[in-house]
Amino acid sequence: MTEWWRGAVVYQVYPRSFQDSDGDGIGDLKGITQRLGHIASLGVDAVWLSPVFKSPMADMGYDVSDYCDIDPLFGTLADFDALVAAAHDLGLKVIIDQVISHSSDQHPYFAQSRRDRSNDKADWYVWVDAQPDGSPPNNWVSVFGGSAWEWDTRRRQYYLHNFLPSQPDFNFHNPEVQDWVLSVLSFWLERGVDGFRLDTVNYYFHDQKLRNNGPEPRADNTPAVNPYDMQDHEFSKSRPENLAFLARLRALLDEYEARSMVGEVGDGPRRSLKIMEEYTSNGRLHMAYSFDMLGPLFTPEHFRSRVEGFFTAAPDGWPMWAFSNHDVIRHVTRWADHGTQDDVAKLAAAMLLSFEGSICLYQGEELGQTETDIEYHELTDPPGFRFWPDYKGRDGCRTPMVWDGSHTGGFTTGTPWLPVKGPQLDRNVLSQQGVAGSVLENYRALLDWRKGSALRAGRSRFFDLPAPLLGFRRDDAEDSVICLFNLSSDAQSVAVSGLVALDGPHAAAKLAKGMVQLGPNGWLWSRCAAQTEAG
């Protein structure tokens, strides 16, 4: 249990929106390097960079055209090396995204692959003949809408794309593709990165029989905004062949000291825990990044079921939990009905940082940042254009980091690529820096206290409490911590045995005569005896 990544807190940076150093309105590597002091001051262990590789930016860098170079928008390889060195000097590990399930259609290998059916890269992507009537080979659909198959006139075949048509999927059934992917990872490991966040890690392999997916069981028969949500993706992703390849990835990282991988597991609630279990067992991924807490559910039952369910199914596996990221509505906005913005932000911080596993914080989360209301003419995100207005895309959570109250939030001297608006400007670093009771200082205090406690790696024991109360104890060999949370705006009380005083951070919490009183969105962490119980 001494690996650095176990119980680590990772800070996600979306490079386009963190800090612009040259006035073009787009964040860059030099800007991130300038702001590393802020990240280090939080007390996190590592920084994760979303993609900075060469790309035509059809999907904001998740469409890679050169896996071993930096896009000029963000800088150069020398800038990247300087960032890694500066982060290491501050005690921060550096994790980078790897988007290897698919490339850009501008990648030289795809340009070669689509040329004809007999070249050296002809089988590097998933090519399939049309059905006799010219239709696609099966019913698979794209995450971004429409069929997952695109017709190519040069090869007279369809190619698979789980996302945009300009993001063709690699054919991982080809061993040459696997070997090449390993060489890409080796390139970055040799440059000193400490690990990888593997985008769409369960999308690598497809069913070679090309069987149709069935419908996703749903309680509500109303059509979803995105038809992708109506399909059970049994054959288009999460295939059993993936497990052997993950073992190959792990073997590569094990050749280097203190490196780690976390895989993004994108699947529905019926399958996600099982996939996380499989992917972090038997020498595969170090961690699995869960989507399960990135939705609207805000109940004790839900949070308990995810944490407890994972460790019951995979006692030797390891999860990474997050409440926000670059793909979902920010959690302070998602859960706004459960309390004031500041109270929800602080309660969410205390909950997330107490869960067993590793933790990922998304830039601006430490400010209690809210979702930006994007208008149609401000859109940049492809799904936003396709599904507007019922789904406005992901731009609202990707707007620039707000460093001060100036009109661009201190992000750029130019015009920001996405707008910085008033409600977000109000939640800036400068206005919260050093201010007692601010969301920012709350995060710093919690992260500092957490490091020397059982919350880093202790096991969880949940208490059977009525909603809206969530409670558990974390125990390691030297320490026990009780955690209690009121997930509502109404005061609650709970009996606690074995707790004589509050010894730890708390908000709207009092202990008297064996009863803990929790005010609206109240919570507590407290060192306690190993026999402490609640309920």
Side-chain angles (χ1 to χ4, degrees):
M1 299 291 290
T2 58
E3 299 99 333
W4 71 264
W5 47 269
R6 284 191 190 270
V9 178
V10 177
Y11 185 93
Q12 181 193 356
V13 166
Y14 192 68
R16 294 180 72 91
S17 296
F18 200 63
Q19 179 66 57
D20 171 25
S21 71
D22 58 12
D24 67 355
I26 296 173
D28 47 47
L29 293 175
K30 286 183 177 178
I32 296 169
T33 302
Q34 292 170 11
R35 296 292 192 180
L36 284 175
H38 168 76
I39 300 173
S41 75
L42 295 174
V44 301
D45 302 285
V47 56
W48 150 31
L49 301 182
S50 290
V52 292
F53 314 112
K54 279 191 174 178
S55 165
M57 300 293 165
D59 189 21
M60 298 304 167
Y62 284 86
D63 50 323
V64 181
S65 58
D66 187 339
Y67 285 84
C68 295
D69 203 358
I70 302 297
D71 194 277
L73 276 175
F74 301 123
T76 65
L77 278 171
D79 295 331
F80 178 84
D81 293 339
L83 186 156
V84 172
H88 287 168
D89 286 345
L90 290 168
L92 294 169
K93 306 285 188 183
V94 178
I95 295 171
I96 62 172
D97 245 305
Q98 286 294 326
V99 191
I100 53 178
S101 69
H102 55 268
S103 74
S104 165
D105 62 357
Q106 303 302 305
H107 195 287
Y109 290 167
F110 186 72
Q112 182 177 345
S113 186
R114 76 191 315 180
R115 197 180 305 154
D116 56 55
R117 302 189 188 191
S118 58
N119 66 79
D120 290 345
K121 298 294 185 289
D123 193 37
W124 276 51
Y125 293 82
V126 182
W127 295 98
V128 179
D129 291 335
Q131 296 196 60
D133 64 358
S135 60
N138 60 31
N139 71 342
W140 298 353
V141 291
S142 162
V143 175
F144 288 167
S147 173
W149 299 99
E150 185 75 4
W151 180 252
D152 186 82
T153 56
R154 277 153 284 193
R155 285 191 48 147
R156 306 291 201 273
Q157 286 182 305
Y158 284 98
Y159 65 84
L160 178 65
H161 63 92
N162 274 296
F163 298 92
L164 291 174
S166 59
Q167 293 172 293
D169 277 46
F170 282 112
N171 177 20
F172 275 81
H173 292 286
N174 183 340
E176 292 181 358
V177 172
Q178 296 187 34
D179 293 343
W180 171 77
V181 166
L182 292 174
S183 74
V184 168
L185 269 59
S186 295
F187 174 86
W188 294 105
L189 289 167
E190 292 294 333
R191 293 197 92 86
V193 302
D194 300 287
F196 304 108
R197 180 263 190 184
L198 300 174
D199 185 69
T200 58
V201 73
N202 53 324
Y203 284 77
Y204 296 159
F205 288 82
H206 67 286
D207 176 45
Q208 288 184 293
K209 295 180 181 179
L210 301 176
R211 287 171 282 188
N212 283 330
N213 286 329
E216 175 69 14
R218 301 166 66 232
D220 183 0
N221 289 325
T222 304
V225 172
N226 185 346
Y228 188 85
D229 298 329
M230 300 168 66
Q231 197 169 98
D232 176 3
H233 305 282
E234 178 181 5
F235 297 113
S236 53
K237 66 180 182 182
S238 305
R239 302 303 299 157
E241 296 93 336
N242 216 27
L243 299 178
F245 179 64
L246 297 181
R248 290 195 69 190
L249 292 178
R250 178 62 175 266
L252 171 65
L253 265 73
D254 285 348
E255 295 176 10
Y256 296 81
E257 184 178 358
R259 312 298 171 95
S260 71
M261 296 179 294
V262 54
E264 175 200 40
V265 176
D267 216 311
R270 290 190 302 112
R271 284 207 183 94
S272 59
L273 282 179
K274 179 165 180 57
I275 296 171
M276 290 174 68
E277 169 198 353
E278 291 177 341
Y279 283 20
T280 59
S281 301
N282 301 318
R284 296 168 187 140
L285 299 178
H286 299 84
M287 300 174 280
Y289 180 101
S290 173
F291 276 42
D292 287 346
M293 298 181 187
L294 299 176
L297 286 177
F298 189 74
T299 66
E301 179 185 15
H302 175 66
F303 294 122
R304 176 177 179 174
S305 70
R306 299 300 91 187
V307 178
E308 198 171 46
F310 177 87
F311 285 102
T312 299
D316 297 321
W318 199 256
M320 177 178 278
W321 308 113
F323 284 169
S324 286
N325 68 19
H326 63 294
D327 283 335
V328 300
I329 295 171
R330 287 184 176 273
H331 67 263
V332 172
T333 297
R334 291 201 315 271
W335 299 333
D337 291 342
H338 299 279
T340 69
Q341 289 181 346
D342 274 11
D343 286 348
V344 169
K346 294 174 187 178
L347 171 64
M351 281 200 301
L352 182 60
L353 292 170
S354 68
F355 289 160
E356 185 176 358
S358 297
I359 305 302
C360 188
L361 306 178
Y362 180 49
Q363 64 181 51
E365 185 173 332
E366 74 276 22
L367 306 174
Q369 195 53 271
T370 55
E371 188 81 354
T372 303
D373 186 16
I374 297 293
E375 298 179 29
Y376 187 82
H377 72 274
E378 297 167 330
L379 281 179
T380 71
D381 191 30
F385 288 109
R386 187 168 190 119
F387 299 116
W388 184 277
D390 294 294
Y391 176 63
K392 296 185 177 182
R394 300 164 294 179
D395 290 324
C397 65
R398 297 177 173 184
T399 54
M401 184 74 175
V402 185
W403 300 100
D404 59 39
S406 63
H407 72 285
T408 64
F411 165 70
T412 181
T413 57
T415 301
W417 74 284
L418 281 175
V420 182
K421 299 190 177 183
Q424 286 68 51
L425 285 173
D426 292 340
R427 293 179 169 272
N428 66 75
V429 173
L430 186 62
S431 69
Q432 297 190 33
Q433 182 87 23
V435 177
S438 67
V439 177
L440 174 59
E441 295 304 334
N442 185 69
Y443 268 86
R444 286 175 170 156
L446 292 178
L447 284 160
D448 182 63
W449 196 91
R450 180 181 181 274
K451 286 181 179 179
S453 75
L455 298 184
R456 175 109 187 177
R459 302 314 299 254
S460 303
R461 184 184 182 283
F462 281 84
F463 305 127
D464 294 324
L465 300 176
L469 292 170
L470 174 68
F472 50 85
R473 197 181 65 233
R474 297 282 305 277
D475 301 304
D476 64 19
E478 300 176 352
D479 190 31
S480 292
V481 176
I482 185 173
C483 302
L484 295 173
F485 309 98
N486 174 12
L487 277 61
S488 79
S489 54
D490 297 321
Q492 304 290 327
S493 61
V494 57
V496 178
S497 62
L499 185 63
V500 296
L502 296 186
D503 179 13
H506 54 276
K510 295 180 180 179
L511 172 66
K513 298 180 180 180
M515 296 292 294
V516 168
Q517 307 289 335
L518 294 174
N521 301 130
W523 56 270
L524 68 83
W525 295 354
S526 179
R527 287 194 165 83
C528 63
Q531 298 78 30
T532 297
E533 297 284 337

